[in-house]
Amino acid sequence: ANLDIHQNTEPVWYQRSFIAPKLGQNTKAFLVFESVSHTAHVYINDKEVGSHEGAESSFEFDVTNALKEGTSQLLSVRVSGKASDSKLYDYKGIDGKVSLEIRPSNYIKEIKFITKGITPLATGGVDFAQCEYEVITSEEQVAPVKIVLKNFKGDKVFESDKLTDSFKLDRPTLWSLDMPYLYTFCVEFGDDYYEQQLGIRSSIILENQLLLNSNPVKLHGFNYIKDYPLSGRSVSDTQLAHDIELMTWMGANCITSTTSKLPEELLNWA
C-alpha cells in the first residue's frame, strides 16, 4: 500500500455542477447528505452554506436563498478526517448519497409510529393492537391533516385528522419473520405528502431470550459493513439488492452494524 496516501491527513475536495430548478411559491430547496466522514464544509458558488461534523449521520442545509434558479450552480464540499490523536483509522470522504430536495415551506419533518401493546384472543390470534403516532412538522402552523393507515391490500383500517393520536387496531395481522406483513402509514399535511411501510408487532427480551409477538426467536445474521473493492464505502442500489439476495440465500434473518450506518434502502428492502 502507498503509505503517503494511507496516512494522508490533508482535506479533500469534491465539486460538481448542476442546474438549479425553478422554485414555486411557498417552496424551499434542501441539500441533503446521507453521510460524510468526518467533517464537511459545503459551498454553493463559492459561498459556504453550512458545515457538519460527525460520520455516519445524515444532515441537510436550506439552500433556497443560495440558488440562482434555472442556471448552473457549483457545489463544492471540503472534507477532512478525524483528529490526529484519534486511535481509529483516519479516512475521509463522502460515503453516502447527496440529493437536492424541493419541499413545501411547511413540510413533514419526522414520523413516529409505536405499537404500545398487543392483546391476544383467548381462543388464539390477536384481538387488537394499541398503537400511537406523532407527526412532527417544520413549522408550528395550522394546515389540513389527513392520516390514513392501509393494510397490505390497500384497504383503509384507520383514519384521523390529528398530528398526534392513539388508537386500537382490531384484528391486526402481525409482522413476523415467517410473514413480514406490512401496513402503509400515509400522511397528508398541507401541500406535503409522505407514506411509510411498517409492521405491527411486539418485542421483548426476557431472561436472555428475544420474544417476538410472545414467541421465542433465534437470531442468525450478519454484521453489515459498507466496504467494497471498487466503490469503497459508497454503495449502489444494485450492490444492496445483491447483498440482500446473498444473505437471504444463506438463511439470515437479521442484520446489524457496528461500524457504519445501515442504508435506508437496505432497511426498507430487507
Side-chain angles (χ1 to χ4, degrees), residues 32-243:
V32 182
F33 291 80
E34 189 177 65
S35 175
V36 176
S37 301
H38 290 266
T39 303
H41 292 266
V42 182
Y43 306 82
I44 291 183
N45 301 323
D46 297 327
K47 293 183 179 180
E48 186 169 1
V49 296
S51 63
H52 178 267
E53 183 176 357
E56 304 300 338
S57 60
S58 59
F59 59 95
E60 63 185 35
F61 304 114
D62 184 346
V63 296
T64 307
N65 296 329
L67 299 179
K68 299 177 182 179
E69 297 183 6
T71 62
S72 179
Q73 312 292 291
L74 178 63
L75 170 63
S76 306
V77 183
R78 180 182 184 270
V79 182
S80 56
K82 289 186 174 73
S84 58
D85 60 349
S86 172
K87 296 181 180 179
L88 299 176
Y89 175 55
D90 182 15
Y91 63 91
K92 63 184 73 70
I94 298 176
D95 51 5
K97 293 182 178 180
V98 181
S99 59
L100 183 68
E101 296 185 2
I102 309 301
R103 306 172 186 167
S105 56
N106 194 9
Y107 59 92
I108 300 167
K109 191 174 183 179
E110 185 179 356
I111 297 174
K112 299 178 181 179
F113 189 99
I114 302 174
T115 305
K116 297 293 291 185
I118 293 175
T119 301
L121 287 166
T123 56
V126 180
D127 186 10
F128 64 88
Q130 186 67 42
C131 306
E132 67 178 39
Y133 69 86
E134 180 183 8
V135 178
I136 301 173
T137 59
S138 60
E139 300 176 6
E140 295 182 358
Q141 295 181 355
V142 178
V145 179
K146 184 177 181 180
I147 307 293
V148 174
L149 182 66
K150 299 178 181 179
N151 62 18
F152 188 76
K153 295 180 180 180
D155 301 325
K156 187 188 305 180
V157 296
F158 171 76
E159 187 175 13
S160 175
D161 60 357
K162 301 177 182 178
L163 289 175
T164 302
D165 205 352
S166 60
F167 63 95
K168 287 183 179 181
L169 181 61
D170 293 328
R171 304 296 195 275
T173 302
L174 300 184
W175 184 96
S176 67
L177 296 177
D178 296 328
M179 188 177 67
Y181 189 95
L182 294 176
Y183 290 83
T184 303
F185 189 69
C186 309
V187 180
E188 186 176 342
F189 176 72
D191 296 326
D192 202 6
Y193 177 83
Y194 188 81
E195 61 180 41
Q196 176 67 56
Q197 289 187 311
L198 53 88
I200 306 295
R201 84 290 180 272
S202 68
S203 61
I204 187 174
I205 297 178
L206 184 62
E207 297 181 355
N208 298 323
Q209 174 67 64
L210 174 63
L211 301 180
L212 178 63
N213 304 327
S214 301
N215 298 313
V217 174
K218 183 178 180 180
L219 299 179
H220 40 93
F222 294 89
N223 179 25
Y224 189 82
I225 300 175
K226 294 189 300 180
D227 192 2
Y228 291 83
L230 298 179
S231 60
R233 297 173 66 84
S234 179
V235 187
S236 68
D237 290 347
T238 302
Q239 289 171 321
L240 285 177
H242 182 60
D243 286 346

